[in-house]
């Protein structure tokens, strides 16, 4: 089956419009891949995929590429500086992380912390979310450097961050949206 390119506009990391080209291949059986080619994104999929699967995979692959680009833009030194700024602002500089980094193996939690090592890990799924949400997760993990567990002392400490409830609501909305059924008509076409 010949390639069936699909062109449409999409948003890149910096907000500029770019073309998305989907290339179908009869030889490709299961794998999906994507890459940037100049100002467009190329997504390679098996020819047998339905339009609904194609749309889903394009979204997944655009998210993965954006996460990779975001990790390059906001790397370790920028994250540690951001955490140090938040610690100074909300915890009197008492929370001192040794490292802060993005990870791709956290799909059920937004962040994690190992107080003994002073290490903080943020899920790549946070990339692209509003800054106040990322700051909340960073503050949450910074608070764990001072108070392990989720007891009353921990939550009192975290109250210093003024957008805690708003950020928690945002994250709860993201989780709830992921559980929603697909819209009618979005099944295989």
């Amino acid at each position: 089956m010949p390639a069936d390119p699909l062109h449409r506009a999409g948003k890149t990391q910096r907000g500029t419009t770019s073309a998305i080209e989907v290339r179908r291949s009869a030889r490709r059986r299961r794998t999906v891949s994507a890459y940037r080619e100049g100002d467009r994104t190329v997504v390679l999929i098996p020819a047998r995929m339905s339009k609904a699967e194609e749309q889903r995979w394009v979204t997944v692959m655009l998210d993965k590429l954006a996460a990779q680009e975001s990790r390059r833009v906001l790397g370790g030194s920028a994250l540690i500086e951001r955490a140090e700024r938040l610690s100074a602002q909300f915890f009197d500089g008492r929370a001192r992380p040794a490292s802060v980094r993005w990870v791709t193996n956290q799909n059920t939690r937004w962040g994690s912390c190992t107080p003994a090592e002073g290490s903080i890990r943020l899920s790549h799924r946070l990339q692209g979310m509003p800054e106040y949400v990322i700051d909340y997760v960073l503050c949450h993990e910074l608070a764990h450097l001072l108070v392990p567990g989720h007891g009353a002392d921990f939550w009192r400490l975290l109250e210093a961050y003024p957008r805690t409830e708003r950020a928690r609501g945002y994250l709860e909305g993201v989780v709830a949206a992921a559980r929603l059924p697909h819209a009618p008509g979005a099944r295989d076409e």
Side-chain angles (χ1 to χ4, degrees), residues 154-173:
F154 172 83
W155 292 111
R156 267 193 297 280
L157 185 61
L158 196 54
E159 284 175 0
Y161 183 67
R163 295 178 132 187
T164 293
E165 287 307 312
R166 184 175 181 192
R168 287 178 57 117
Y170 183 97
L171 293 171
E172 288 172 6

Side-chain angles (χ1 to χ4, degrees), residues 51 76 127 137 139 152-153 189:
K51 288 289 184 186
Q127 295 170 336
V137 175
C139 283
D153 290 342
E189 295 172 349

Side-chain angles (χ1 to χ4, degrees), residues 1-5 22-25:
M1 180 181 267
D4 177 25
V22 175
R23 295 182 188 163
R24 292 174 172 267
S25 169

Side-chain angles (χ1 to χ4, degrees), residues 87-109:
S87 176
Q89 188 174 359
F90 299 112
F91 305 117
D92 299 321
R94 294 179 297 134
R96 294 186 184 100
S99 68
V100 181
R101 62 189 174 99
W102 296 110
V103 295
T104 58
N105 64 348
Q106 290 188 3
N107 295 312
T108 59
R109 56 176 66 181

Side-chain angles (χ1 to χ4, degrees), residues 44-168:
L44 307 170
I45 65 171
R48 64 173 172 70
M49 277 194 182
S50 69
K51 288 289 184 186
E53 289 175 310
E54 174 185 306
Q55 288 176 337
R56 184 177 70 81
W57 275 107
V58 165
T59 301
V60 166
M61 297 313 289
L62 288 175
D63 287 347
K64 283 187 176 189
L65 286 173
Q68 290 170 355
E69 291 163 355
S70 181
R71 278 193 299 279
R72 284 193 291 266
V73 172
L74 186 59
S77 62
L79 277 176
I80 194 88
E81 289 170 12
R82 190 172 188 169
E84 289 169 350
R85 178 182 51 81
L86 290 168
S87 176
Q89 188 174 359
F90 299 112
F91 305 117
D92 299 321
R94 294 179 297 134
R96 294 186 184 100
S99 68
V100 181
R101 62 189 174 99
W102 296 110
V103 295
T104 58
N105 64 348
Q106 290 188 3
N107 295 312
T108 59
R109 56 176 66 181
W110 298 111
S112 62
C113 171
T114 307
E117 297 173 4
S119 62
I120 294 175
R121 293 158 306 280
L122 300 178
S123 172
H124 71 284
R125 297 177 307 136
L126 289 166
Q127 295 170 336
M129 289 189 186
E131 285 191 21
Y132 75 90
V133 174
I134 296 170
D135 286 351
Y136 162 73
V137 175
L138 266 173
C139 283
H140 184 107
E141 301 309 330
L142 286 166
H144 279 308
L145 293 178
L146 303 172
V147 179
H150 291 102
D153 290 342
F154 172 83
W155 292 111
R156 267 193 297 280
L157 185 61
L158 196 54
E159 284 175 0
Y161 183 67
R163 295 178 132 187
T164 293
E165 287 307 312
R166 184 175 181 192
R168 287 178 57 117

